[in-house]
Amino acid sequence: MLVVGLFVLIIGGDFLVKGASSIALRAHISPLVVGLTIVAFGTSAPELLISVKAALDGSPDMTMGNVVGSNICNLALVLGVTAIIGVIKVNSDSIKIDWPVTMGSSLLLYFVVKEDAAMIKTYEGIIFIVLLVVYTVFIVRKSRKETKAQRALEQEMEDVAPSRHVGKDAFFIVVGCAGLYFGADWFVGGAKNLAMFLGVSERVIGITVLALGTSLPELVTSIVASVKKETDLALGNLMGSNIFNILSILGITSIIKDIHVSEAIIKHDMVAMIGVTLLVLPMMLYKRTMGRVSGIILVVVYIFYTYTVIT
């Protein structure tokens, strides 16, 4: 059920993106805005549904483990593997905007749960969502001024050009939402059963199995981009995913239900997430490229971190 749930989640997210993007493009919303909003939300929808489902089922460690573990996986394993396969060029926006916002979001999450009785409450979730909206508006406005970035995003959006049939788009949206709902239910249920079978905590399953599973699309996409030598946007996309994970997924989930955070996640996993984010900065600054050495270091860090979680 774990594998089936993950597969249905990924397919559901893809269908939702196709349907919603097609309708948005038909409404004459620019491909740039669609790419930075609907597509970004759609690709994070599996993580969101898993987090909400886990929180409602009384498994907050899975909710937090999924988000924190995915962020570590993105900047350690996915980025590391990408850098090993092909050199990643670091543009100025990644240094001046993406990294500071990623680190700021991580620190905000840490201090919120540290100072508020190890919880993320409804009003804090609302603050997260407001910050996400402000960040998204800023990125959209900035990207509109950069024709190169706009052309790149418009090229990415070619696969979701508007169809001729509204019914087809609606069908995609309905199937996508159903896939996300049932996929999340099966995936979380399978993860709980796996935790009981292995005799480990839900935190461990969240940090490892759920996080790695929901990061698989980013991993596959990054590997394909590396093989094609199209790594320019990889770093920004991964950090953007981390920002979205914290502000959107935890923001929406905590609005639905307060999230309790265990001491182990605060003292170990969140510190590791901040540490990995910090580690990436000097790699980005050195020659403005990330190559094989940086990639190996990041993958080793991920393996070591996973070992500390399991043991």
Side-chain angles (χ1 to χ4, degrees), residues 19-294:
S21 298
S22 180
I23 289 176
L25 292 172
R26 187 183 288 107
H28 303 295
I29 298 174
S30 75
L32 179 69
V33 175
V34 175
L36 290 171
T37 54
I38 294 174
V39 174
F41 179 81
T43 53
S44 291
E47 288 97 326
L48 174 60
L49 267 291
I50 288 171
S51 295
V52 171
K53 175 66 178 174
L56 292 177
D57 285 354
S59 301
D61 277 3
M62 283 193 178
T63 297
M64 291 303 302
N66 179 34
V67 171
V68 175
S70 290
N71 282 11
I72 294 171
C73 186
N74 282 343
L75 290 187
L77 179 63
V78 178
L79 185 59
V81 170
T82 305
I84 290 172
I85 296 174
V87 175
I88 299 173
K89 296 177 182 178
V90 180
N91 59 48
S92 59
D93 280 352
S94 293
I95 297 173
K96 295 177 181 178
I97 299 173
D98 299 330
W99 187 88
V101 178
T102 303
M103 177 57 84
S105 301
S106 301
L107 290 173
L108 174 64
L109 175 62
Y110 178 76
F111 286 115
V112 162
V113 299
K114 188 78 172 174
E115 299 300 322
D116 202 358
M119 287 183 65
I120 306 176
K121 297 180 179 177
T122 299
Y123 76 91
E124 291 163 337
I126 294 173
I127 293 173
F128 281 14
I129 296 300
V130 170
L131 290 174
L132 178 66
V133 171
V134 171
Y135 171 71
T136 303
V137 170
F138 169 76
I139 291 297
V140 168
R141 287 182 175 178
K142 185 177 184 302
S143 298
R144 276 180 169 169
K145 298 175 183 178
E146 299 173 358
T147 55
K148 183 179 179 181
Q150 185 164 356
R151 284 198 301 270
L153 272 171
E154 287 179 349
Q155 188 174 2
E156 287 183 17
M157 291 299 297
E158 286 179 358
D159 293 336
V160 286
S163 66
R164 297 180 180 179
H165 305 288
V166 178
K168 182 179 179 181
D169 298 333
F171 173 76
F172 277 142
I173 292 174
V174 171
V175 172
C177 290
L180 288 171
Y181 176 82
F182 289 107
D185 188 40
W186 297 336
F187 196 54
V188 171
K192 282 188 172 184
N193 291 336
L194 182 62
M196 288 188 292
F197 177 75
L198 296 177
V200 298
S201 68
E202 292 183 350
R203 164 185 166 258
V204 172
I205 294 298
I207 288 288
T208 55
V209 178
L210 294 189
L212 185 58
T214 53
S215 290
L216 280 179
E218 286 92 343
L219 180 59
V220 173
T221 301
S222 296
I223 289 175
V224 171
S226 292
V227 172
K228 292 183 177 180
K229 302 187 184 300
E230 298 172 353
T231 59
D232 295 28
L233 297 175
L235 187 57
N237 288 345
L238 289 173
M239 287 193 286
S241 177
N242 282 17
I243 295 166
F244 209 90
N245 282 348
I246 293 174
L247 298 182
S248 171
I249 294 173
L250 293 183
I252 294 174
T253 304
S254 60
I255 289 173
I256 296 172
K257 183 177 182 179
D258 291 348
I259 304 174
H260 295 266
V261 187
S262 67
E263 284 294 316
I265 290 179
I266 297 173
K267 293 181 178 179
H268 186 270
D269 306 317
M270 286 190 184
V271 171
M273 178 179 67
I274 293 170
V276 169
T277 306
L278 187 61
L279 175 63
V280 169
L281 180 60
M283 295 179 176
M284 293 167 59
L285 294 173
Y286 182 69
K287 294 184 178 181
R288 296 294 181 95
T289 59
M290 295 181 66
R292 187 165 297 172
V293 174
S294 296

